[in-house]
Amino acid sequence: MNDLQGKRLVLGLTGGIACYKAAELCRALVKEGAAVQVVMTEAAAQFITPVTMQALSGQPVYTSQWDGREANNMAHINLSREADAIVVAPCSADFIAKLALGRADELLSLMCLARPIGRVPLLLAPAMNREMWAHPATRRNLAQVAQDGATVLGVGSGDQACGETGDGRMLEAAELLEDITAFLQPKPLRGQRVVVTAGPTFEAMDPIRGITNHSSGKMGFAIARAAREAGAQVTLVAGPVHLSTPRGVQRVDVTSARQMLQATLAAVPEADVFVATAAVADWRPASEAGEKIKKDGSGQAPVLAFTENPDILQTVAQGERARSGALFCVGFAAESHDLLAHARAKRARKGIPLLAGNIGPLTFGQDDNQLLLVDEHGEQELPRAPKLQLARMLIAEIARRLPGNLPA
Ligand code: CTP
């Protein structure tokens, strides 16, 4: 399923070199299933042509409030009434100033002003030179438009088209897509704090080698993203994985199980939900050699002794906050067989309200998965789906089990 299936978006472009990124954004939005109506200011059309945007959106572009194509000649009313959101990307300093004043002397600003403010959200992706971004007038105008109900997305930092370096670049298309998608998701965890562990751990035996496992971290990262989309403040404690951090998520990188425990214990005292997806190594070498263990020529393999790692989930579940009901703990079980029996037993052993079981070899490294949820009332299957979609379903299941939320 596409993330924006059935959504109707107005994509507004104002004057700025970042218009070239709006072409890519438009394509990405359409690819995710959104119907995109492009509206461009006169200045935007200096940077990119309406023809390009028409080809990418598959719909004629609007550039003027006097467009005779609308039977009632009120494009500003018609387009804004039909939209699930208006996204202005790039949003220039001048356009922000216009919005702050409530001016409406061309189609895009007119549409923003005429939109039903309680029903059609306005998202702005600012793009400008760093001095313009830092100028007190822009700061003032941004605060004003935010107060008037617009959602101001972030800006990037780095080299600018003008040759200067600093804040004010428009976010990349992929980042905007993630932010827009997140904005349009339901918010059952608004104001909640969520901690997620993800990925494998790596237990060193010497400075070169160690033991680890095949966990890719994808499920945990998807859960962190879904929790953030649902409105939560998220801390993601990640073992060694090659994944980029979901936007808006605070990531703490760790290597070993003991480091993961420390980072988790530092984060959970404030948390409302803890989701343990990490494939923590159950054992670590009893001692870590200070130097690489070398072959001694005898043909004898070294004998390694192991010691058990702390159980992070169990430690947290036995803590005061979880036992008082203030922290809702969710565990994962990766099994190879007898999923239901093992999942039930594991939930009881860990002393947690909810456990998500899956078949390890069918999920490690894959982009999709299926889950069996086990709680005190019984079992429920979440059918095979991409991990992000499954993560959103799991987050919804967690949200409805939180104190204060009635069971559906
Ligand atoms: N877990 C943890 N710390 C550990 C081990 C596991 O937090 N040291 C968490 C995992 O993140 C997961 C759950 O506990 O949520 C998995 O439980 P576990 O009993 O370790 O599962 P398996 O490793 O599959 O156990 P077993 O070998 O008994 O099947």
Side-chain angles (χ1 to χ4, degrees), residues 139-389:
R139 303 282 95 212
R140 194 168 61 235
N141 291 334
L142 281 167
Q144 185 62 57
V145 295
Q147 197 186 322
D148 292 345
T151 297
V152 181
L153 303 174
V155 291
S157 189
D159 294 342
Q160 303 199 312
C162 49
E164 297 180 0
T165 305
D167 291 343
R169 275 166 45 147
M170 188 170 84
L171 295 175
E172 301 304 319
E175 296 172 317
L176 288 172
L177 177 67
E178 199 172 321
D179 284 357
I180 295 164
T181 305
F183 182 86
L184 293 171
Q185 286 292 320
K187 302 278 176 260
L189 290 185
R190 196 189 294 280
Q192 307 273 340
R193 287 170 193 251
V194 175
V195 177
V196 181
T197 62
T201 62
F202 178 90
E203 311 296 332
M205 50 191 268
D206 68 18
I208 310 287
R209 291 164 294 200
I211 57 169
T212 186
N213 59 65
H214 284 309
S215 167
S216 65
K218 285 180 183 170
M219 193 66 216
F221 274 58
I223 288 169
R225 176 174 168 179
R228 151 85 183 151
E229 287 179 347
Q233 199 176 313
V234 183
T235 302
L236 173 60
V237 182
V241 293
H242 301 281
L243 295 173
S244 49
T245 312
R247 286 186 58 72
V249 165
Q250 193 198 339
R251 173 172 176 173
V252 183
D253 282 319
V254 296
T255 304
S256 68
R258 283 176 298 172
Q259 289 170 354
M260 188 173 273
L261 176 68
Q262 290 315 315
T264 303
L265 290 180
V268 289
E270 303 273 283
D272 306 287
V273 177
F274 173 53
V275 188
T277 66
V280 184
D282 288 329
W283 312 95
R284 67 174 182 275
S287 61
E288 183 183 343
E291 293 175 353
K292 186 181 176 192
I293 303 169
K294 305 289 283 181
K295 290 194 288 284
D296 63 7
S298 69
Q300 291 290 313
V303 177
L304 288 178
F306 288 92
T307 189
E308 192 168 353
N309 265 329
D311 189 314
I312 300 166
L313 176 58
Q314 206 157 351
T315 308
V316 172
Q318 284 168 357
E320 178 54 34
R321 199 168 163 79
R323 283 192 290 118
S324 73
L327 176 65
F328 187 87
C329 291
V330 184
F332 265 70
E335 306 295 340
S336 63
H337 60 289
D338 287 342
L339 181 57
L340 179 57
H342 285 304
R344 277 185 185 148
K346 204 163 279 183
R347 187 185 88 85
R349 195 170 70 236
K350 303 262 176 180
I352 52 173
L354 183 64
L355 184 127
N358 54 185
I359 298 291
L362 294 183
T363 173
F364 285 162
Q366 303 289 316
D367 288 326
D368 57 5
N369 192 9
Q370 72 191 63
L371 294 178
L372 181 70
L373 301 189
V374 181
D375 70 5
E376 59 178 329
H377 303 295
E379 305 82 47
Q380 179 188 350
E381 250 182 62
L382 300 184
R384 196 155 196 92
K387 285 183 175 172
L388 179 57
Q389 211 175 309

